[in-house]
C-alpha cells in the first residue's frame, strides 16, 4: 500500500529459474523418449534380419582394405592419386547379395575395359593429330560415347546391362579429360584401370568369403514364405466371412481399403502381390552365383522360381477379391451364410493345406505324392460346395429370401447338416440383424428403410427398386463362393508349376501317402 485508496503494488517479475526448469524437463523427456524409440526401431530392424548387420560390417571392412592403399606409402607411391578409383569401385560394386555384387562387378569390369580401350585409341589419335585438333577430337568422341551409351541402355534386350553402359560413359569421360590435362595419358589410363581392378577384386573377395549372403537362398525363402502367406490369408478371409455379427463387416464408405490393421495375414498377402520386381531381381542376381549350399546344380533353374511366384500371385489375386467381397457394402444375411458354412470351411481349409504342403516341398526340395492326394480332396470339397449351391439355389431368389425361415429348412441330409445346434441358437439372436441387412437401399453409403421412415416416409415408387436391390444381398454369397471355386481352379496351375520346378531342380523324389 502506498497511501492511496485501493492501490496495491504487485511484483509480477518472475525469475527465469521458476519457469524454465519445468519446460526443460518436459523437452528433455520428449527428446529422451524419441531417442529410445529410435534405438528400439534400429534394434528391431537389425534383429529382424541379421544379414543386414553382416552386410554393413562387410562393406565397412572392404572400404577399410582399399583405404589402406592410400594410408600405406608403398602402394600410394605406385598409383598416386589414381588409387581413389579403388575406393570408388568398392563403394559402387558392393551389393547386398553375392550374385548382385558379381553382376555389378561384371558390368563394371566390361564397361571399364571397353572405356579404357576406347580411351587409349582416342588418345593415340589425338597425339598424332597435333595440339590444335586434339580438343575437337576429344569433344566429338565424348559426344558420340554419351549419345551411343545413353541410346543403347534403353534397348529392351540390353536393359539388364544398363549399369555397364553407364560405367562406359563416366569412365571414358574421366579418363580422356584428365589424361589430356595431366600429361602421359597412357600411364594415367593404365593406372586407373589397375586401380579399378584392385577395388573390384577386394569387393568380390570380401562379399564371397566373409558371411556370404546368397541371392538364391533369399529367393528360395521368399517363395516359400509366399505360399504360407497366401494360405493364412485365405483362412483369415474364410473366418471373417463366417464370423458372427453385422458390425464386423465394415464398408468402404467409412473405412478406406488399406486400413484393416486386424487382418495381418492379408497385409502380408498384399506385400506378396508387390513382390514381382523383387523376385525378378533376386533371380537375375542368383544366375551369377556359383553352385553353393543346397543348390549344387551348375545351371540351376532360377527362372522357374519366378514362374511359380507368378502363378502364386494369381492365386493371391483371388484372395484379395475375396477380401473385397468380405468388406463390400452388400452382404448376405448371417443365417444364409451359415447355411453353407461346412462346405465353405472344407474347401478353404483343404486349399490352404495344399498351399502349405507345396511350400513345404519347395522348402525341403522334395517332391511328394501328397500334393496329388490333397488336390483331389480340394476338388471334392469344391464339388460339394458347388453342388450344394445348385441344390439350394431357390433360397437365393428374392421371394424365398423374404418368406423362407432358414430355421425350418427341408430335411434333406446335405442341407440339414450344414447348421449345428449352436448355429440354431444364434439364428434367433440375429433375426433383427438379418432384417436390417435385407432392407438396404440403393444409395452409397446405404440408408436403412427405418431411417427414411423416421425422416417422413418413403416414396412408394422407390419400393420396387429397393426390393430388387435387396435380392443382391443373397447374390453376394454366390459371388464369394464363385471366387473360392476360382481360387481352387488356379491351384491346378500352381501344382503343375511346382512339379516342373521339382523336375528342373532335381528335387528328391519321395512317395508319401496322405
Amino acid at each position: 500500500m502506498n497511501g492511496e485508496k485501493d492501490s496495491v503494488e504487485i511484483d509480477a517479475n518472475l525469475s527465469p529459474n521458476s519457469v524454465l526448469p519445468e519446460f526443460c524437463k518436459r523437452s528433455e523427456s520428449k527428446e529422451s523418449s524419441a531417442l529410445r524409440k529410435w534405438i528400439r526401431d534400429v534394434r528391431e530392424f537389425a534383429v529382424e534380419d541379421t544379414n543386414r548387420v553382416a552386410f554393413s560390417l562387410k562393406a565397412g571392412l572392404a572400404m577399410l582394405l582399399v583405404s589402406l592403399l592410400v594410408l600405406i606409402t608403398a602402394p600410394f607411391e605406385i598409383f598416386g592419386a589414381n588409387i581413389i578409383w579403388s575406393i570408388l569401385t568398392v563403394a559402387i560394386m558392393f551389393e547386398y547379395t553375392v550374385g548382385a555384387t558379381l553382376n555389378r562387378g561384371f558390368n563394371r569390369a566390361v564397361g571399364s575395359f571397353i572405356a579404357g580401350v576406347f580411351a587409349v585409341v582416342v588418345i593415340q589419335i589425338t597425339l598424332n593429330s597435333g595440339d590444335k585438333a586434339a580438343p575437337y577430337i576429344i569433344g566429338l568422341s565424348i559426344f558420340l560415347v554419351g549419345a551411343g551409351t545413353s541410346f543403347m541402355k534403353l534397348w529392351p534386350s540390353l536393359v539388364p546391362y544398363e549399369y555397364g553402359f553407364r560405367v562406359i560413359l563416366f569412365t571414358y569421360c574421366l579418363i580422356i579429360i584428365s589424361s589430356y590435362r595431366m600429361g602421359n595419358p597412357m600411364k594415367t589410363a593404365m593406372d586407373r584401370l589397375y586401380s579399378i581392378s584392385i577395388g573390384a577384386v577386394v569387393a568380390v573377395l570380401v562379399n564371397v568369403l566373409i558371411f556370404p549372403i546368397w541371392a538364391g537362398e533369399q529367393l528360395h525363402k521368399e517363395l516359400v514364405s509366399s505360399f504360407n502367406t497366401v494360405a493364412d490369408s485365405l483362412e483369415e478371409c474364410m473366418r471373417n466371412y463366417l464370423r458372427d455379427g453385422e458390425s464386423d463387416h465394415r464398408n468402404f464408405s467409412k473405412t478406406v481399403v488399406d486400413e484393416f490393421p486386424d487382418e495381418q495375414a492379408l497385409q502380408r498377402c498384399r506385400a506378396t502381390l508387390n513382390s514381382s520386381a523383387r523376385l525378378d531381381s533376386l533371380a537375375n542376381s542368383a544366375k551369377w552365383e556359383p553352385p553353393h549350399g543346397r543348390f549344387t546344380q551348375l545351371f540351376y533353374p532360377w527362372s522357374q522360381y519366378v514362374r511359380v511366384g507368378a502363378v502364386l500371385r494369381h492365386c493371391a489375386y483371388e484372395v484379395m477379391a475375396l477380401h473385397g467381397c468380405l468388406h463390400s457394402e452388400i452382404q448376405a444375411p448371417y443365417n444364409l451364410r451359415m447355411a453353407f458354412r461346412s462346405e465353405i470351411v472344407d474347401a478353404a481349409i483343404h486349399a490352404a493345406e495344399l498351399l502349405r504342403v507345396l511350400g513345404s516341398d519347395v522348402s525341403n526340395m522334395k517332391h511328394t505324392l501328397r500334393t496329388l492326394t490333397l488336390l483331389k480332396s480340394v476338388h471334392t470339397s469344391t464339388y460339394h460346395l458347388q453342388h450344394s449351391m445348385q441344390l439350394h439355389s431357390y433360397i437365393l431368389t428374392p421371394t424365398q429370401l423374404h418368406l423362407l425361415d432358414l430355421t425350418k429348412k427341408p430335411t434333406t441330409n446335405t442341407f440339414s447338416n450344414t447348421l449345428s445346434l449352436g448355429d440354431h441358437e444364434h439364428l434367433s439372436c440375429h433375426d433383427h440383424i438379418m432384417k436390417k441387412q435385407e432392407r438396404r437401399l440403393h444409395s452409397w453409403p446405404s440408408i436403412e428403410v427405418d431411417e427414411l421412415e423416421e425422416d417422413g416416409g418413403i416414396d412408394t415408387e422407390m419400393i420396387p427398386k429397393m426390393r430388387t436391390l435387396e435380392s443382391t444381398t443373397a447374390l453376394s454369397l454366390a459371388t464369394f463362393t464363385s471366387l473360392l471355386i476360382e481360387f481352387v481352379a488356379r491351384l491346378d496351375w500352381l501344382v503343375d508349376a511346382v512339379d516342373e520346378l521339382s523336375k528342373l531342380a532335381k528335387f528328391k523324389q519321395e512317395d508319401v501317402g496322405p
Side-chain angles (χ1 to χ4, degrees), residues 272-412:
T272 300
L273 293 177
N274 299 327
S275 64
S276 175
R278 175 166 173 78
L279 293 181
D280 289 338
S281 176
L282 288 174
N284 291 331
S285 299
K287 293 176 182 178
W288 293 90
E289 295 176 348
H292 58 277
R294 297 183 296 171
F295 313 103
T296 56
Q297 191 173 335
L298 184 58
F299 297 101
Y300 198 79
W302 298 114
S303 58
Q304 185 64 23
Y305 275 77
V306 178
R307 182 175 180 274
V308 173
V311 179
L312 185 60
R313 280 196 303 275
H314 280 80
C315 296
Y317 293 146
E318 293 299 323
V319 175
M320 295 303 298
L322 289 170
H323 169 70
C325 183
L326 172 65
H327 294 287
S328 63
E329 182 71 12
I330 301 174
Q331 293 291 334
Y334 171 73
N335 46 5
L336 184 59
R337 283 177 274 137
M338 293 299 296
F340 301 95
R341 177 178 180 176
S342 61
E343 290 85 354
I344 293 175
V345 169
D346 287 344
I349 288 181
H350 284 114
E353 184 180 3
L354 176 60
L355 284 172
R356 293 192 177 94
V357 170
L358 289 174
S360 177
D361 288 349
V362 175
S363 177
N364 299 326
M365 301 182 70
K366 296 179 181 179
H367 181 262
T368 64
L369 295 180
R370 187 184 177 191
T371 56
L372 298 178
T373 303
L374 287 175
L375 186 60
K376 292 180 181 178
S377 300
V378 172
H379 288 166
T380 301
S381 59
T382 305
Y383 172 76
H384 290 162
L385 173 60
Q386 188 173 5
H387 180 69
S388 181
M389 292 291 294
Q390 293 175 350
L391 183 63
H392 306 97
S393 59
Y394 61 90
I395 67 174
L396 302 179
T397 60
T399 55
Q400 293 296 330
L401 188 62
H402 288 288
L403 301 178
L404 180 64
D405 182 4
L406 291 179
T407 61
K408 299 178 181 180
K409 305 182 297 295
T411 57
T412 57

